[in-house]
Amino acid sequence: MLTVGFSFEFRGPDASIDELYIDAAYRRRGSGRQALAFAERRAREMGVNAIHLEVDHGNNPALELYLSTGYRNHDRFLMTKWLNRE
């Protein structure tokens, strides 16, 4: 899922990749790279300046994929506050 927003820091439209999941049977075969490339192409077509994603601590295979495709640690904490949650 690619969600688009707006960021002053990133000078306009930015996007987040949410929940990129590759079934275990298809990992390490290029499916993740293809999915990221597709999302990046679509984001460029929409005029997006930056794409963000998150990776769980300890998910080294995903971290390696993201680093090898140009994503970098932004040295920030992801913080969340649930709204309207019972």
Side-chain angles (χ1 to χ4, degrees):
M1 171 79 61
L2 184 69
T3 60
V4 178
F6 186 91
S7 169
F8 286 109
E9 180 179 1
F10 294 100
R11 295 178 228 117
D14 68 340
S16 295
I17 294 175
D18 187 38
E19 303 303 330
L20 175 62
Y21 179 80
I22 306 298
D23 188 88
Y26 297 97
R27 293 179 190 159
R28 302 259 180 210
R29 295 179 167 186
S31 299
R33 284 182 188 281
Q34 290 176 350
L36 289 172
F38 176 78
E40 291 170 15
R41 277 193 309 274
R42 294 292 295 137
R44 281 188 185 93
E45 292 169 2
M46 293 185 287
V48 168
N49 294 328
I51 298 179
H52 316 283
L53 52 74
E54 61 184 281
V55 60
D56 289 333
H57 294 279
N59 188 348
N60 293 331
L63 181 60
E64 290 173 16
L65 169 64
Y66 302 146
L67 290 171
S68 72
T69 55
Y71 290 84
R72 297 293 173 251
N73 183 348
H74 201 54
D75 291 326
R76 300 203 177 162
F77 295 104
L78 172 66
M79 299 176 71
T80 303
K81 180 178 181 178
W82 287 92
L83 302 176
N84 301 319
R85 192 165 196 207
E86 298 175 30

